[in-house]
Amino acid sequence: MKIQTLSLTLLLIIFWLLNSGLFKPLIFILGAFSVVLVLFISSRMKVIDEESQPLHLTKNIPAYYAWLLKELVMSNIKVVSTIWQGHLQLQPALTTIKMDHLSDMGKVIYANSISLTPGTVTTDVTENSITVHALDKSSITDIQSGAMEARVRKLDN
Amino acid sequence: MFTAAAIAVLVAMALALVRAYAGPTLYDRILAVNVFGTKTVLLIAIVGFLTGRPEFLDIVMVYALMNFITVIGILRFFEYSVSHASANSETIKEQ
Amino acid sequence: MEFLGLFNYWVVVVLMMIGFYIVICSNNLIKKLIGLTIFQTSVFIMYISMGKIEGGTAPILAEGVTLYSNPLTHVLILTAIVVGIATTALGLAIVVRIKESYGTVEEDEIHAKDKKA
Amino acid sequence: MSMVTTYLSWALLVLGGFLCVSGSVGLLRFPDFFTRMHAASVTDTLATGMILVGLMLQAPTWIVFGKLVMILVFVLLTSPTAGHALAKAALHSGLKPLLPGKGGKIDADPRPSAGGV
Amino acid sequence: MESFIHIIILSMLVTTAAAIVRVKDLFAVTMLAGIYGLLSASFFVLMDAHDVAFTEAAVGAGISTLLILTTLSMTGRFEKAAENPKSNYKPALALTLVTVTGALLIYGTQDMPAFGAADAPVQTHVVPRYLNDSATEIDIPNVVASVLASYRGYDTFGEVVVIFTAGIGVLALIMSTVSTAPVALRASMEEHVILRIVSKMLIPLILIFGLYVQFHGEYGPGGGFQAGVIFASAFFLYAMLFGLTAARKVVNSNWVQALAALGVLLYGSVGVLAMINGGNFLDYNFLAQDDVHGQHMGILFVELGVGITVASVMIIIFFTFSTHQQRDGEPD
């Protein structure tokens, strides 16, 4: 049994218990049946692998999200103040930024973190570059500085 | 306070509705639907608390899920019809 | 809230008539189907409005709650919604076939082709 | 429930509501699809987070709390993904973002955006 | 306060419907119809109809939008204005008809009991019995589920058969020849790293959520109808991302068709079993030693039958439409 199957099973059981909150024998039997059925279908779909169960990330992820939350609040303030400006003066930009090789998982975290912070949206991810549309040019400079990329890289290893 | 939040969400919904109607591009409309879906998620969660029976949050989950699937579906089918159904000789320019 | 008394039903009538108008007046079969969906939803809204009791809560029994809204209308509409989507799918399938046979989904063009044939 | 959590929850709800409205105002005011997208992501991230956390603080049971957490995680996972997919599709279909000229700024008053589709 | 919110939602519903009349771009119409579905579902939540909102959320906002869009991609995006003045297209006449009918109906509403009245005829006939006796006779918290599966089990059986028939109808109308060379996997989605990984994470969770909704219908909002749609939506997501060919490998079409029939059969055989044990058709009291236990068993299996049929029919409909669309899209 692969470690990913094990972690998925655990995840499914937690998900079921958290949702259900009922501790009756019948519900337990049905829950066990459901978990087995889902595992069967998932393995037929071939969705159980290190991409869907990124176990190697778990130890560093809380610190990363704490940092991301701070970034999120900062950029929110910036975008909200732009929205309420009397006369809109925007400097949107669309730039392709080079980056060194990241695993697929790393790309997903990086790209989604960029999209998650308001003011920047990832429009394209390729092997060694990432295209970003930004509401304001300064956000592009922030990304180019590589602070986020370095953190994702640390997470990825 | 729940009421204040609910009203704020309703106002946001109304504005998103205007965007969905006004367009002008297709993607604006999809975006508006997506925003509208997220707002609905919030509204239902708040209303659950407002009416004093917040234990039925499964509905909210379904909304969030369907919102995602719909957006992916719209994009996929639209991409498809652009690449293949250009045989329908309508111009793709908005009126 | 006195003026509220019949507000829901007026909205139902307005929605129903909008759906009806789309069904009669639009030339495109898909839009007609969407009009039908609006009409259908107005009926759902009417049933659900009738089932609501002022101050009641969802008909899921819990301790300390005595007043529940009407579960019967909910059951009727719940099944109606799923049946509705199944029949809409059937309608759309027919539209697809019409498109293949006639090359169009505009009602007047279909009539014109029928007359020619 | 202590007073502190109640006040904190209220503050989060009101702030979240304000962010919601801000996002939608941006959705209306911004000049083209891509800039509007940024406005939408304000509401998707922080506003949703704040309102859901505000509700969590008032959750009567652990089940409700857990479900709210799951909803939050779900929204935070899907909304940037959907946003990215949308932006990518728009860009690839030939929708040109509105960009400022050399070194200048665009005077962005609401107007129909450039580009087809 | 709630009534204030519900007035706003109803007004937005009317606005959306009016917008649908005016817009000629069918794509925009579909988007507005999606919003219309979301709004009506919010309204149902306000009216305490959580089960209905659950269904409408999954169906009105999700599946129907997808189906209409698939059809649109085959039939063209714009509604043409009628060119022939002698056509059936007579807005003035239609408007008059609609206005007159609407006025008459509004006049008719004067006789309706006021909204929310507890003594309205709807509230006073069978419903008090359901609400009072469900707790002792069937002993499950969700009265909607007990009415759906037990008190009005015949109705629900009928609905399931209708859904099954609709699925068969769609298959019969636009059955595609699967044997022809499958269309190549659509590359753009395959390259979509982010969508691929996020969806892979979500699909097992959507599936387990569907099953959770299926088996907790007795305790909270949910049940076979909603669960079927949610469960099927995981397959939609899979098919949209990894292509129909891959999806068909996961779920064999013949199996799905067999399962659709099996669900109806399961429902029916619960009824027949009750008859064999000496009761009436679908009289669950005869399924086990004591009545309440029998009711629990009956409802569990009946809901399972509903869930299986709904999920299979939804998958059949979606796959049939998508296959047809791909075949249509191929350059001749």
Side-chain angles (χ1 to χ4, degrees), chain A residues 53-107:
Chain A
Q53 297 291 315
L55 295 174
H56 59 286
L57 300 176
T58 34
K59 64 177 191 296
N60 289 327
I61 210 101
Y64 180 74
Y65 275 107
W67 175 79
L68 190 64
L69 183 68
K70 193 198 82 197
E71 291 290 299
L72 229 150
V73 174
M74 300 303 285
S75 54
N76 255 293
I77 294 169
K78 215 163 100 183
V79 174
V80 169
S81 62
T82 316
I83 289 171
W84 291 107
Q85 256 170 33
H87 186 72
L88 284 178
Q89 291 249 304
L90 302 175
Q91 277 191 293
L94 183 74
T95 319
T96 305
I97 300 166
K98 286 260 176 296
M99 63 171 184
D100 297 329
H101 176 79
L102 274 176
S103 70
D104 277 0
M105 195 65 218
K107 278 184 212 155

Side-chain angles (χ1 to χ4, degrees), chain C residues 34-55:
Chain C
I34 292 175
L36 212 55
T37 316
I38 293 178
F39 195 106
Q40 201 179 21
T41 312
S42 78
V43 178
F44 299 165
I45 292 174
M46 181 168 110
Y47 268 66
I48 299 295
S49 303
M50 289 199 305
K52 168 81 177 168
I53 295 183
E54 197 70 60

Side-chain angles (χ1 to χ4, degrees), chain D residues 48-59:
Chain D
T48 311
M50 279 185 169
I51 289 183
L52 288 180
V53 172
L55 293 179
M56 273 176 218
L57 292 177
Q58 308 230 10

Side-chain angles (χ1 to χ4, degrees), chain E residues 19 61 66 68 172 215 268 275 280 319:
Chain E
L66 289 185
I68 294 175
F215 294 125
M275 281 170 85
N280 288 321
F319 278 18

Side-chain angles (χ1 to χ4, degrees), chain C residues 8-75:
Chain C
N8 281 33
Y9 303 122
W10 296 340
V11 169
V12 167
V13 171
V14 171
L15 286 177
M16 202 182 259
M17 287 306 117
I18 290 176
F20 191 30
Y21 179 80
I22 295 176
V23 172
I24 313 175
C25 213
S26 71
N27 207 12
N28 186 298
L29 293 179
I30 294 182
K31 196 157 178 190
K32 271 184 202 286
L33 274 174
I34 292 175
L36 212 55
T37 316
I38 293 178
F39 195 106
Q40 201 179 21
T41 312
S42 78
V43 178
F44 299 165
I45 292 174
M46 181 168 110
Y47 268 66
I48 299 295
S49 303
M50 289 199 305
K52 168 81 177 168
I53 295 183
E54 197 70 60
T57 63
I60 294 169
L61 305 178
E63 273 175 44
V65 185
T66 47
L67 193 58
Y68 298 99
S69 290
N70 193 331
L72 185 59
T73 56
H74 298 182
V75 171

